[in-house]
């Protein structure tokens, strides 16, 4: 199944009771990319009081997520941001909200509303694209198998990301999850090896 992901970066800024909230939304593919976005926000706004964030990688219904209050009272920043992400039903997304304290305390309820509002502003402004769940596999094949493999990839929406020639051919293929069984069947029928084992020995 496909799921919506951000088509590109979005920035929004809100002033709430003299505090400045700067929301960053970035598409990310994994935890390392999410951490890199957080570091970029910290570098861009080094004197901000807080850099609160939440991310969700993968299918919004079953993906991995994380949140952080970055010194705000527990549950008042990261969780509201994450809740808005979940409500939008979008995956592969990182939202950072950097706050400049304006001298007026907002209280726990005010902080929840402010961080949720910042997340809502930036998520409502995003354009989405459909992400197709996929996996990348390494195949071992003979020279004569390369063209049939390329043809199979063309027919099934798969990508031949890399190919290395030695005594045999090693190919890195990214294939949509929905065609994984077909790829294993193709490999088994043609004697291609998946990873270090025979193609018919599909990992559990």
């Amino acid at each position: 199944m496909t799921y919506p992901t951000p088509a590109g970066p979005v920035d929004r800024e809100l002033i709430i009771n003299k505090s400045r909230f700067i929301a960053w939304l970035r598409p990310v593919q994994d935890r390392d990319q999410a951490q890199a976005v957080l570091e970029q926000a910290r570098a861009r706004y080094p004197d901000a009081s807080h850099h609160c964030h939440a991310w969700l990688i993968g299918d919004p219904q079953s993906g991995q997520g994380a949140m952080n209050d970055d010194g705000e009272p527990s549950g008042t920043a990261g969780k509201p941001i994450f809740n808005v992400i979940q409500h939008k039903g979008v995956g592969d997304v990182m939202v950072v909200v950097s706050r400049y304290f304006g001298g007026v305390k907002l209280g726990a309820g005010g902080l929840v509303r402010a961080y949720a509002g910042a997340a809502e502003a930036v998520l409502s402004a995003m354009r989405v694209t459909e992400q197709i769940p996929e996996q990348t596999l390494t195949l071992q094949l003979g020279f004569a198998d390369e063209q049939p493999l390329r043809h199979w990839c063309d027919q099934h929406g798969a990508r031949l990301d890399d190919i290395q020639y030695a005594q045999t051919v090693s190919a890195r293929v990214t294939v949509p999850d929905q065609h994984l069984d077909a790829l294993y069947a193709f490999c088994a029928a043609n004697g291609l090896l998946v990873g270090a084992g025979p193609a018919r020995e599909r990992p559990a």
Side-chain angles (χ1 to χ4, degrees), residues 88-101:
K88 294 294 184 181
V90 64
D92 296 345
V93 61
M94 169 68 156
V95 174
V96 182
V97 180
S98 300
R99 179 193 181 193
Y100 284 85
F101 180 58

Side-chain angles (χ1 to χ4, degrees), residues 79-140:
K79 185 172 177 59
I81 297 169
F82 188 76
N83 287 345
V84 176
I85 293 174
Q86 286 189 310
H87 178 72
K88 294 294 184 181
V90 64
D92 296 345
V93 61
M94 169 68 156
V95 174
V96 182
V97 180
S98 300
R99 179 193 181 193
Y100 284 85
F101 180 58
V104 178
K105 292 186 176 182
L106 303 182
L111 286 171
V112 169
R113 289 188 294 273
Y115 280 103
E120 175 70 30
V122 78
L123 282 156
S124 294
M126 74 176 169
R127 293 184 300 106
V128 298
T129 185
E130 290 296 316
Q131 175 65 41
I132 300 174
E134 55 188 21
Q135 293 190 34
T136 300
L137 305 173
T138 299
L139 310 180
Q140 305 297 326

Side-chain angles (χ1 to χ4, degrees), residues 3-115:
Y3 58 90
T5 65
V10 184
D11 299 342
R12 287 293 183 271
E13 183 173 332
L14 289 77
I15 304 296
I16 302 173
N17 285 348
K18 298 185 178 181
S19 278
R20 181 185 177 201
F21 292 85
I22 304 166
W24 276 27
L25 179 151
R26 299 291 186 270
V28 294
Q29 297 293 323
D30 53 41
R31 181 194 300 263
D32 289 343
Q33 289 185 11
Q35 184 63 34
V37 171
L38 177 60
E39 294 305 323
Q40 290 168 13
R42 286 173 171 164
R44 178 75 176 271
Y45 306 106
D47 51 347
S49 309
H50 307 277
H51 299 282
C52 307
H53 70 272
W55 53 261
L56 180 59
I57 307 295
D59 188 319
Q61 302 301 318
S62 58
Q64 296 183 330
M67 64 196 80
N68 190 283
D69 295 313
D70 193 35
E72 294 282 31
S74 179
T76 64
K79 185 172 177 59
I81 297 169
F82 188 76
N83 287 345
V84 176
I85 293 174
Q86 286 189 310
H87 178 72
K88 294 294 184 181
V90 64
D92 296 345
V93 61
M94 169 68 156
V95 174
V96 182
V97 180
S98 300
R99 179 193 181 193
Y100 284 85
F101 180 58
V104 178
K105 292 186 176 182
L106 303 182
L111 286 171
V112 169
R113 289 188 294 273
Y115 280 103

